[in-house]
Structures are given as C-alpha cells and as structure tokens.
C-alpha cells in the first residue's frame, strides 16, 4: 500500500523539538487577592499558577463569589453533560453579554432555553454544510482579493482580516449580503472595546466594587454592534408586513417565521435582534480568533504549510475547491483542531450550582460558580503529551484520538454544546485553503494573548505574505 503523504510518519528533523507557541507563563504560587484582581482586570488566564494546569479541582474565593474550577475529566464531563439541570449557565455570562445579546439562546436556561431552541432550530437549515459552502467560498475569495490589494512588502495584521471574513460569512448567511469594509471595522473595534469594558465591569462587580462607568461604556459599544444589523432587521420586518417576501429565504427569514410551539407566537423585534446578535457574535468572533491563531501557527511552522498544500493538491487535483473535497482534507482539519486546543476561543465555561452538593472534598452551596475551562483541560499534561506544543499529528495517534474524545472541548459538550461546530470547521478549511493556495506565510513576531469573554490575540497577529 502506498503511503499517504499527510499520514506519513513525522520527520524527526522537522518536528523535534516541536514548536511551542506563546502562552502566559504560570505563576509559581497562586497569586493573592489583590494580585488576582490586577491580573484578572486584563485577562483571566494570566492569573493562573503552575499547579492549576495539573490539578483535579481548584477553589478561589472572591469577595462576592466562590469559584470552583473542575479539571479532572469525570468532573468536567459531569458539569457539562449535566442532564438534571444541576449546573445551568452562570449569571456572570448574562452579566457579560446582556448588553449585546439580551437574553438570547446562548445565556438562557431551563424551560426558556428549551423554548428558544425549539423556535430557532429550524433556522439552522441555513448553516447546513453544502448550502453554506458557496457562501464561504465567496467570502474567502473576497478576503484573498483584499489581501492582494494590500501593501504586502510589510507585515499585515491578520486579526481584523479574520474578523472581517468570519463576520462576512455569517452576515451573508443571515442577511444574503456581504459585509462592507466599514461595517467590519465598526464590529472589530467595538467588540474589542466591548470585551475590555465588560471584563472590567464584571471584575469590579465580583470584588464588590462600584463599576465606575465600565458597564455604560460596554453598553455603548454593544449599541454600535447591534446598530449594524438592527436597520436590516427593521427593513425586512417592514417588507414582510407589506407581504414582500425575500427571495431566496435566508437565516433571518427563518427567524422571522419561527413560532413558539406552545403559543404560536413569533419573536418580537427586540428578541429577534437578540437572537440575530447571538448567531452573529457566536458565529464569527470565535471563528475569527481560531482562524487568526491557525494562520499564526502555520506561519511559524512552514513545513505544515507545505503539507497542507500537498494535501490540497492531492485532494483537488489542482481544481478549485469543491464541497466534496473537504472530507479528504484531514491534515487541514487537524491543524484547526490543534489551534482550537492551544487557543480555545471560549476559554472558560461558567456554570452555577443550583443546590448544595459535595464535589471531591468541597462543599458547594447554591450560587457558587463551577467552571470547566477548555484552556486548562487542553493543557493538562495528564490528558495531552507535550501539552503546550503545536503538533496536529497528535490527532492521528490512538492516544491522541482518545484524548480528543475525552479532553478536547473547544465547542463545549453536553446539551449546551455549540450548534455551529461543523459550520466553523468547514469555514476554517475554506478560508485556510484560500489563503494557503495564494500565499506563503511567515510570522513577523509572536503575538501576545488576552482572555476575556473570548481568548484573542492582543496587539494583532502580524504576518508576512509572499505571493506563491
Ligand atoms: C471556532 C468557532 C466556535 C467556537 C470555538 C464555539 C464555541 C462554543 C462553545 C464553547 C459553546 C458552549 C458554551 C457553554 O457551554 O457555555 C458554544 C455555544 C453556541 N455556539 Fe458556538 N462556537 C463556534 C462557532 C459557532 C458558530 C459558527 C455558530 C453559529 C453559526 C455558533 C453558535 C453557537 C450557539 C447558538 C451556541 C449556544 C447553544 C445553546 O446553548 O443552545 N458557534 N459555542
């Protein structure tokens, strides 16, 4: 049997030592309350000490909150798989996100969550893979055109470019039109500022301190983001009221047609904007971050760029990418998986205890926060060999496949698992393919990172692009 080039055994010269991309070095000892406040003001992963990465469960007491971090797999699974509703989403998420997404499906709990899901589930037909493929291709081609039009003699920050392409994909899926450059800029800037203000407002709240206007600043940025799509929704609702149908129907149409199975009621305008905001934000911010990190990792390890180009050539035979090719692009999927492992865009999943419960030796009381953190689970040496190293091939070994099943949770797991995982993976394949087929990448400098609502590069991801 001839050897498949992208499953070939690793070339020792190329892979040893494996590349270890930047991550915040942990503290030797758990920082004290004031140090945690100062560090957490910017980014929660910067508060972690070395022991946290291998611990089974940790406890942190803040003035307004007791927080338990679960890191042992059975506990992580118990919290996320929660069938009894013992661990619904924590109010902290609601606090962080309400100005942006109201009480949309991402933060709702219990019967209200079930009602919203029943209403919006039919709309997910628009995120069907074959249907979404041409939309993704069009957005990826526009990205390449934007790159070609730039001055490539200098390093380029791919962070806003990835926000643009990911927001463009979800915008086209929702509204059947491309996102403009001006809209993309508003969204990127406003969301970056929103994350900083919301994080500060919440941190102050957790320490029992006044919010010093950060809540109002966050609300202002949220209004700028919602202002991008509110007029589109209002116009579509007005047209519908006059009997003018949008052809062909898109995700927004399906949300407009959604009905509560019990009452037959649709969404009112403000709740509809909330749901659109959930899909828009959940659907692009995370994917944009994952794409920026994927490009950075590929830029640092050029041998992986070559492997992906070889894989594409093999699978497509040099033709343009078709939906049917994606299945065969396993190395590409593994690069994306590894990027999500190292830099999970949703780095912590906060839940709240609804009743008194003992976990290990901890007595948890109602209202305590229980966190499962993809950031820690993905870097726990008990689950992953060389956990801080970039090694997409780990997903092809029996041990890696088992780790992926148990300890790879970038999309969460259980009843609240991400509904867009397949969509995001396909989108990543399409965008990475379009970039790698056109350019050779080189990292200009290692990026810094910051973890707030999402884990993002700080100060941009600066790469050099050389046309192929
Ligand atoms: C790399 C990209 C993505 C990542 C890493 C990601 C991650 C996640 C995670 C971790 C959750 C669960 C949160 C929790 O348990 O607290 C989630 C939920 C969700 N995601 Fe994603 N997501 C991505 C892309 C998308 C896309 C493309 C869409 C839509 C097209 C989407 C829509 C949603 C929605 C609606 C929920 C809430 C589901 C519910 O609670 O019923 N996500 N996502």
């Amino acid at each position: 049997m001839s050897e498949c080039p992208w499953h070939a055994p690793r070339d020792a010269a190329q892979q040893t030592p494996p590349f270890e991309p930047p991550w915040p070095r942990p503290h030797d000892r758990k920082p004290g309350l004031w140090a945690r406040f100062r560090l957490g003001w910017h980014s929660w992963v910067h508060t972690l000490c070395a022991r946290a990465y291998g611990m089974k469960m940790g406890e942190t007491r803040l003035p307004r909150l007791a927080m338990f971090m679960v890191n042992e797999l059975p506990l992580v699974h118990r919290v996320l798989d929660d069938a009894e509703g013992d661990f619904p989403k924590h109010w902290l998420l609601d606090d962080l996100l309400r100005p942006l997404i109201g009480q949309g499906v991402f933060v709702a709990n219990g019967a209200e969550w079930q009602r919203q899901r029943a209403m919006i589930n039919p709309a997910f037909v628009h995120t069907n893979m074959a249907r979404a493929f041409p939309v993704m291709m069009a957005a990826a081609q526009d990205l390449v055109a934007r790159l070609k039009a730039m001055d490539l003699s200098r390093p380029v920050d791919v962070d806003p470019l990835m926000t643009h392409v990911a927001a463009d994909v979800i915008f086209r899926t929702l509204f059947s039109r491309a996102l403009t450059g001006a809209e993309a800029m508003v969204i990127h800037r406003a969301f970056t500022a929103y994350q900083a203000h919301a994080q500060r407002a919440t941190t102050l709240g957790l320490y029992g301190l006044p919010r010093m206007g950060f809540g109002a600043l966050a609300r202002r940025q949220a209004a700028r983001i919602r202002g991008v799509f509110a007029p589109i929704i209002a116009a579509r609702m007005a047209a519908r009221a006059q009997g003018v149908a949008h052809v062909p129907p898109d995700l927004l149409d399906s949300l407009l047609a959604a009905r509560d199975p019990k009452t037959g009621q649709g969404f009112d305008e403000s709740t509809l904007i909330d749901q659109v905001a959930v899909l828009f934000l959940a659907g692009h911010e995370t994917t944009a971050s994952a794409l920026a990190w994927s490009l950075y990792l590929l830029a640092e390890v050029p041998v992986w760029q070559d492997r992906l180009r070889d894989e594409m050539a093999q699978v497509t035979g040099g033709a343009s990418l078709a939906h049917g090719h994606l299945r065969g692009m396993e190395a590409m999927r593994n690069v994306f998986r590894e990027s999500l492992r190292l830099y999970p865009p949703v780095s912590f999943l906060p839940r709240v205890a609804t009743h008194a419960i003992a976990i290990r030796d901890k007595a948890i009381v109602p209202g305590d926060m229980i966190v499962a953190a993809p950031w820690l689970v993905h870097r726990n040496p008990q689950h992953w060999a060389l956990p801080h190293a970039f090694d997409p091939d780990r997903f092809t070994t029996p041990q890696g496949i088992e780790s992926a099943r148990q300890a790879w949770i970038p999309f969460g797991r259980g009843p609240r698992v991400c509904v867009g995982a397949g969509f995001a993976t396909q989108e990543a394949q399409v965008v990475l393919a379009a970039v790698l087929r056109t350019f050779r990448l080189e990292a200009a400098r290692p990026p810094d990172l910051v973890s707030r609502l999402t884990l993002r590069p700080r100060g941009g991801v600066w790469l050099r692009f050389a046309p192929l």
Side-chain angles (χ1 to χ4, degrees), residues 30 70 128 132 200 212 250 254 299 311 362 379 392 416 425 431 467:
K30 193 170 172 173
V70 290
N128 164 286
R200 283 162 193 168
M212 301 195 314
D250 52 23
S254 296
E311 180 182 79
K362 314 279 185 205
R379 287 174 182 261
R416 305 304 296 261
T425 306
V431 171

Side-chain angles (χ1 to χ4, degrees), residues 142-166:
D142 284 359
L143 164 71
V144 168
R146 279 194 293 280
L147 273 164
K148 282 183 173 164
M150 294 175 90
D151 173 8
L152 296 179
S153 64
R154 296 154 184 240
V156 170
D157 180 7
V158 296
D159 192 25
L161 288 167
M162 293 306 109
T163 298
H164 190 157
V165 69

Side-chain angles (χ1 to χ4, degrees), residues 80 89 93 105-106 113 117 120 124 127 170 278-279 282-284 286-287 290 336 340 344-346 348-351 374 409-413 415-421 423-424 427:
L80 296 181
K89 292 213 178 180
L93 266 186
V105 68
F106 193 88
W113 169 69
R117 275 301 294 268
I120 66 172
F124 289 123
T127 58
I170 197 74
V278 169
L279 292 175
H284 92 274
T286 45
T287 315
F336 188 58
L340 286 171
V346 186
F348 70 103
L349 307 174
R351 302 292 196 260
I409 52 168
F411 296 107
R413 58 178 276 155
R416 305 304 296 261
V417 71
C418 177
V419 290
F423 187 88
E427 181 178 336

Side-chain angles (χ1 to χ4, degrees), residues 57 68 70 74-90 108-110 349-359 364-372 413 415-416:
M57 182 170 178
F68 299 88
V70 290
L75 295 181
V76 171
H77 296 174
R78 180 170 164 199
V79 169
L80 296 181
D81 294 350
D82 174 37
E84 278 83 44
D86 289 341
F87 305 112
K89 292 213 178 180
H90 196 275
N109 276 319
L349 307 174
R351 302 292 196 260
V352 60
T354 50
H355 53 82
I357 188 168
I359 304 185
I364 289 163
V365 299
D368 284 351
M369 186 196 273
I370 321 281
V371 178
R413 58 178 276 155
R416 305 304 296 261

